[in-house]
Amino acid sequence: MFDEMQDGDDVRAGYGDVARWLKSVDVDELHRRQKEAEAIFRRIGITFAVYGEGGDPERLIPFDLVPRVFTAAEWDRIDRGVKQRARALNLFIHDVYNKGEIFDAGVLPRDIVAGNDAFLPEMKGFTPPESVYTHVVGIDIVRTGPDDFYVLEDNCRTPSGVSYVLENRSIMTRLFPELFEDGQVRPVDGYPDLLRHTLVEVAPPKCEGKPRCVVLTPGHYNSAYYEHSFIAEEMGVQLVVGSDLFVEDGLVYMRTTTGPVRVDVIYRRIDDAFLDPKTFRPDSTLGVAGLMKAYLTGGVTIVNAPGTGVSDDKAVYCYMPEIIKFYLGEDPVLPNVDTYRCSDADHLAYALDHMDELVFKEVHGSGGYGMLIGPSATKDEIAEYRARVLENPRDFVAQPTLSLSTCPTLVESGIAPRHIDFRPFALVGKKIRLTPGGLTRVAMREGSLVVNSSQGGGVKDTWVLRS
Amino acid sequence: MMLSRVAESLFWIGRYIERAENVARLADVARRMSALPREVGRPLSNEWSSVLIAAGARDVFGPEIERADAGSAVDHLFFDPQNPSSVINSVTYARENARAMRFALTRDCWETLNGFWSEARQKTPADARGSGLPDLIDWVKAQSAQFRGAFYGTMVRDDAFAFVRLGMAIERIDSTARLLDVKYHVLLPKTEDVGSSADHYQWLSLLQAAAAHRAYTAMREADVSAYGVAEFLILEGRFPRSIQFNVNALEAAVGDIEAYYGSQTPCHQVVRTFASDLRALSVDAIIAQGLHEFLTEVVERNYDLANRLSRSYGFLPVADDPDPSEKAQ
């Protein structure tokens, strides 16, 4: 098992300050600070809304005080790997909706996207500004050894979590200013500016003058609402809901106290299906009637583009090394995790023979739901899951159970190792930008590998060091 | 320029915060009146049912409203989830509106409101029993004052500020009118009551609940009388809970919006007429018209004004315009 900080009795590069700090500070004091942090999160309203499950509808994501650290060299590789992936994903999505060269070349089976619910025929033949489809990309990365980083998942639709990146840093600098005194930790608060630059760069053809950008939220009952409002505020743009917008003559306007005001770029945080009741779900009250038509005729830019979901299910994920090679002629900087496609007879046979060792995932699933973690599952759970896989093998993939790295974490009894993963956010406009940092998620339960916030995972501040 | 929905939320935050405080003040009137000595042999007047009637609860309670007691009235006024104007609901709605446009208010305003709400969530009817009631009333008043402090102390004087102020003033006009009207419901005027001690103390309680007692005695240097209290709470332009003061505040707020946007809407004139009509009135004219009738008219006029504001600034949902290019197809 790889620990991010400890190499036996030695402290790894980058963790010197953290290790000295943990040695010098009293655990009770850390617990007090932890409570302080939670009180601040609660007061500011940085909560995760969970409605319809009973209990407190506004919950805190557990925040852990011990940061996760990347050295400059480690970050350099992540930076290159993530940007490479973002580039390849955008080229792939463009190809899927246009010529389909990768299918003609036989690199990917055509039905991999044709049978995908996220494929939107409306997008066929359309190229958005700068040919960018997924402008905000969240790449989930895990680590198993000193040089062993793997991409676990690509999130090309509306990846969330970036508000925690900024708020976690803000709370750390408030509670422990001394940790930042030597100026070694690279700042993350440039993200909102970079996002605004990205949005402006992809303004639609019909935009006149300075592009006006907005953030479109499903509303304040959405679990990520705080993030939507935070991002809008940090960028200095309006936070709108669907009913604030309307389409007239192929252009989008928002309703204001001084009359209609034109909108050029919509950073939407609602799903494709709800974007436009005229094109997609007619019962959607979250979207804007006529939005897709305005989009496809160059009246507005939707960020991320509709239909980007074709590239982030686990069936496409398996082919990412081939996709990178095909479009960029490069080898992946960050490798995939070996993945068995249950649609393939040989893979399926192997996977079913090794259910107690593998992790099974639904091809279209996300958020840690619908998974089977073989090594910790009971016989009954495995039998039940096997039946599900056999019924519809195409819907499942299996991967070896990775021994995710651990990071020191404050728990009841003191500081103890807990498993973590990492999600950096790449921004794609005229160029690709990556804020030095990201969201480190931590499984708060001992031994647990599930870091999703919907499953009780917590978050940490993530440091990228200058040198 | 701001989103109409945001302006509407700001307007309603102003209303809900005032409403929470005003409902608490209404309860305070009943609490004070019910502590007054009663004359032997006279039927008890029911202060709690009067307050419920003034709060517009007749529909909810039905005929039972005549038999309301402190327990059922306080439950309704503070806690009843079915009562859209209960203190807890008002605070929850104010906070929900703030959350829905989280950054149109300053952080100080938001944190005060969020704190108000998280404390409100912990309150139960048991907290309002016996001596708990005055504490609960004080808590609401203190929280509302804290929000106002954050609001006046930290908000930029722009359109957002003006929309909250409009909401506050509209709500206060409504509430002061209803507060005064409680007296009408408590005791239909009987000649033998006029100037009697019960009558005197009821007017006094009313002044106290409106935080107007000291202002009244200092400014009027006179005994508490029906005539004096009505004149003071309706027409005294220097007293911040009077109807005149708040109609003036409306006039100032729409003036600020006009200056800010460089244009006015039809409701500007309506507000100005409301204010000048009131300034031209004397208390004699009000009494001649009938206090209850006058107050009813104020409540209706105020309601109409709120609707006009909503229309002028696009608060009300606009029917979706069909896409003209599609209509042609």
Side-chain angles (χ1 to χ4, degrees):
Chain A
M1 185 129 42
F2 179 81
D3 188 79
E4 297 277 344
M5 184 168 93
Q6 291 294 335
D7 180 8
D9 288 338
D10 296 334
V11 171
R12 289 185 202 279
Y15 275 91
D17 284 350
V18 175
R20 272 189 294 279
W21 170 61
L22 288 179
K23 241 187 205 135
S24 69
V25 71
D26 175 55
V27 169
D28 292 338
E29 170 68 7
L30 284 181
H31 279 294
R32 269 193 299 279
R33 292 308 191 91
Q34 181 99 37
K35 288 214 169 62
E36 212 178 302
E38 281 178 10
I40 293 170
F41 278 133
R42 182 70 77 186
R43 199 176 70 220
I44 302 174
I46 308 176
T47 52
F48 183 81
V50 185
Y51 288 91
E53 283 186 10
D56 190 345
E58 290 176 25
R59 300 177 198 172
L60 289 177
I61 292 191
F63 171 65
D64 184 66
L65 296 177
V66 186
R68 185 266 176 89
V69 184
F70 286 104
T71 63
E74 286 164 352
W75 184 254
D76 176 62
R77 180 155 167 234
I78 295 214
D79 182 88
R80 282 185 291 118
V82 167
K83 286 177 177 167
Q84 177 190 54
R85 217 149 163 120
R87 216 163 37 240
L89 284 162
N90 274 294
L91 290 165
F92 172 66
I93 303 169
H94 181 258
D95 195 21
V96 164
Y97 285 113
N98 288 278
K99 290 187 186 147
E101 288 169 348
I102 199 165
F103 307 120
D104 295 341
V107 176
L108 245 73
R110 204 171 283 274
D111 65 357
I112 211 164
V113 292
N116 188 329
D117 286 344
F119 179 83
L120 298 180
E122 291 81 4
M123 291 294 289
K124 278 200 279 191
F126 174 73
T127 300
E130 303 298 327
S131 195
V132 178
Y133 290 79
T134 177
H135 311 74
V136 182
V137 197
I139 307 283
D140 290 353
I141 296 172
V142 296
R143 186 181 199 181
T144 59
D147 298 311
D148 305 314
F149 291 95
Y150 294 95
V151 173
L152 199 57
E153 207 169 291
D154 304 294
N155 298 279
C156 299
R157 303 175 205 212
T158 51
S160 65
V162 79
S163 57
Y164 291 99
V165 177
L166 276 70
E167 293 287 8
N168 291 350
R169 176 63 55 81
S170 146
I171 202 115
M172 283 301 285
T173 52
R174 175 173 172 159
L175 293 177
F176 307 106
E178 66 276 13
L179 287 176
F180 297 88
E181 269 167 9
D182 63 2
Q184 275 302 305
V185 181
R186 295 178 64 186
V188 291
D189 42 16
Y191 181 87
D193 283 342
L194 297 182
L195 177 57
R196 202 185 50 247
H197 291 312
T198 302
L199 298 181
V200 165
E201 283 173 6
V202 296
K206 290 186 190 167
C207 173
E208 296 155 359
K210 194 169 166 250
R212 186 182 293 277
C213 311
V214 299
V215 175
L216 173 61
T217 172
H220 66 285
Y221 292 108
N222 184 269
S223 63
Y225 173 76
Y226 173 75
E227 173 154 309
H228 307 160
S229 63
F230 176 82
I231 290 173
E233 167 69 6
E234 290 285 314
M235 287 198 292
V237 306
Q238 298 283 344
L239 176 69
V240 302
V241 296
S243 59
D244 291 327
L245 302 179
F246 66 95
V247 176
E248 199 172 287
D249 293 334
L251 298 173
V252 180
Y253 299 87
M254 56 183 174
R255 304 176 210 278
T256 80
T257 49
T258 51
V261 170
R262 181 93 166 260
V263 170
D264 301 297
V265 183
I266 300 175
Y267 177 36
R268 50 82 179 234
R269 296 293 297 259
I270 66 176
D271 293 342
D272 287 356
F274 297 97
L275 271 179
D276 180 351
K278 281 190 182 170
T279 308
F280 306 117
R281 283 179 61 154
D283 60 338
S284 170
T285 53
L286 305 176
V288 187
L291 183 61
M292 273 307 278
K293 198 168 166 190
Y295 173 61
L296 295 172
T297 54
V300 70
T301 301
I302 300 174
V303 170
N304 291 348
T308 54
V310 288
S311 67
D312 70 4
D313 75 18
K314 290 172 185 75
V316 170
Y317 164 84
C318 305
Y319 291 99
M320 273 313 286
E322 289 87 350
I323 289 173
I324 292 170
K325 189 91 192 162
F326 182 78
Y327 294 108
L328 304 175
E330 299 168 6
D331 290 324
V333 176
L334 297 169
N336 263 22
V337 179
D338 288 336
T339 304
Y340 303 97
R341 292 187 288 273
C342 298
S343 58
D344 178 298
D346 291 346
H347 286 201
L348 176 66
Y350 177 88
L352 291 178
D353 273 354
H354 297 82
M355 283 194 78
D356 55 345
E357 298 165 18
L358 299 174
V359 176
F360 281 75
K361 295 175 178 176
E362 295 172 349
V363 166
H364 306 298
S366 67
Y369 292 103
M371 284 170 54
L372 176 86
I373 299 177
S376 61
T378 64
K379 280 206 159 53
D380 286 351
E381 284 165 349
I382 289 182
E384 205 178 304
Y385 209 90
R386 171 190 288 268
R388 285 184 60 205
V389 174
L390 283 170
E391 198 172 317
N392 224 334
R394 294 168 56 102
D395 286 352
F396 295 88
V397 295
Q399 293 170 334
T401 311
L402 294 181
S403 175
L404 301 191
S405 62
T406 58
C407 185
T409 299
L410 181 66
V411 297
E412 202 70 23
S413 56
I415 303 288
R418 289 291 181 268
H419 294 290
I420 57 170
D421 81 347
F422 179 58
R423 174 183 289 181
F425 295 87
L427 296 170
V428 190
K430 282 192 204 301
K431 54 182 177 180
I432 304 184
R433 303 167 169 100
L434 191 62
T435 301
L439 183 65
T440 294
R441 299 187 298 181
V442 51
M444 300 303 288
R445 261 187 312 121
E446 187 173 0
S448 169
L449 295 169
V450 184
V451 296
N452 304 77
S453 54
S454 51
Q455 318 276 317
V459 294
K460 285 170 169 290
D461 188 18
T462 306
W463 293 3
V464 174
L465 301 183
R466 271 185 211 288
S467 56
Chain B
M1 180 273 290
M2 68 197 314
L3 287 172
S4 297
R5 175 179 53 85
V6 171
E8 180 182 17
S9 285
L10 290 164
F11 176 78
W12 279 101
I13 288 166
R15 291 201 70 162
Y16 284 129
I17 287 293
E18 279 297 317
R19 186 170 296 177
E21 176 175 342
N22 293 330
V23 167
R25 287 183 183 280
L26 261 181
D28 206 27
V29 181
R31 186 187 68 80
R32 286 170 189 276
M33 285 189 184
S34 60
L36 295 177
R38 297 168 197 282
E39 287 164 48
V40 183
R42 288 196 47 205
L44 298 177
S45 59
N46 187 340
E47 301 80 10
W48 288 108
S49 65
S50 318
V51 158
L52 287 173
I53 291 165
R58 206 186 265 284
D59 289 348
V60 184
F61 272 76
E64 286 300 304
I65 204 163
E66 304 294 346
R67 283 184 291 281
D69 58 9
S72 61
V74 168
D75 282 359
H76 176 77
L77 293 173
F78 284 79
F79 299 102
D80 187 358
Q82 305 302 318
N83 171 14
S85 298
S86 75
V87 170
I88 302 300
N89 275 339
S90 294
V91 175
T92 304
Y93 298 154
R95 189 263 183 185
E96 253 179 47
N97 271 283
R99 192 165 175 269
M101 34 127 263
R102 176 73 172 67
F103 290 101
L105 289 173
T106 57
R107 188 153 170 162
D108 292 60
C109 288
W110 160 255
E111 289 185 0
T112 313
L113 208 46
N114 200 33
F116 194 176
W117 170 76
S118 39
E119 284 181 33
R121 289 203 299 173
Q122 318 291 327
K123 303 282 181 195
T124 66
D127 295 322
R129 297 291 174 253
S131 65
L133 180 59
D135 290 343
L136 188 68
I137 291 168
D138 285 347
W139 166 77
V140 175
K141 290 197 293 191
Q143 292 287 329
S144 149
Q146 198 181 337
F147 174 78
R148 242 186 336 269
F151 175 70
Y152 282 101
T154 61
M155 288 285 288
V156 171
R157 273 20 179 202
D158 59 6
D159 45 351
F161 183 83
F163 281 111
V164 177
R165 262 182 95 202
L166 283 174
M168 286 177 163
I170 292 249
E171 191 65 29
R172 241 186 228 185
I173 292 165
D174 187 74
S175 125
T176 297
R178 287 178 192 275
L179 192 70
L180 263 173
D181 213 25
V182 172
K183 184 66 176 75
Y184 169 84
H185 294 289
V186 170
L187 213 55
L188 291 168
K190 290 183 199 142
T191 37
E192 69 265 29
D193 285 327
V194 177
S196 77
S197 68
D199 186 61
H200 169 83
Y201 281 113
Q202 282 169 351
W203 284 109
L204 184 63
S205 305
L206 218 147
L207 273 181
Q208 286 168 339
H213 182 221
R214 292 190 63 175
Y216 177 88
T217 45
M219 290 169 75
R220 293 290 178 272
E221 294 181 20
D223 287 346
V224 173
S225 67
Y227 185 91
V229 172
E231 187 271 337
F232 191 81
L233 289 183
I234 296 170
L235 298 176
E236 178 48 66
R238 290 169 294 176
F239 177 66
R241 310 195 73 80
S242 79
I243 293 174
Q244 180 74 64
F245 179 95
N246 287 291
V247 177
N248 294 348
L250 286 180
E251 199 179 12
V254 294
D256 288 348
I257 293 175
E258 183 180 340
Y260 201 72
Y261 290 162
S263 66
Q264 53 166 289
T265 66
C267 67
H268 280 77
Q269 199 44 52
V270 176
V271 171
R272 283 170 186 143
T273 312
F274 194 3
S276 59
D277 284 357
L278 209 54
R279 279 193 287 268
L281 264 185
S282 69
V283 69
D284 290 325
I286 292 170
I287 301 291
Q289 181 190 353
L291 182 58
H292 176 63
E293 287 69 20
F294 170 79
L295 293 171
T296 306
E297 191 191 302
V298 167
V299 168
E300 283 168 1
R301 211 165 163 177
N302 193 44
Y303 178 80
D304 171 67
L305 181 60
N307 283 336
R308 284 171 191 273
L309 280 167
S310 302
R311 279 196 295 277
S312 294
Y313 294 104
F315 298 174
L316 298 172
V318 183
D320 270 329
D321 305 318
D323 185 345
S325 57
E326 288 202 352
K327 231 190 307 188
Q329 285 165 8

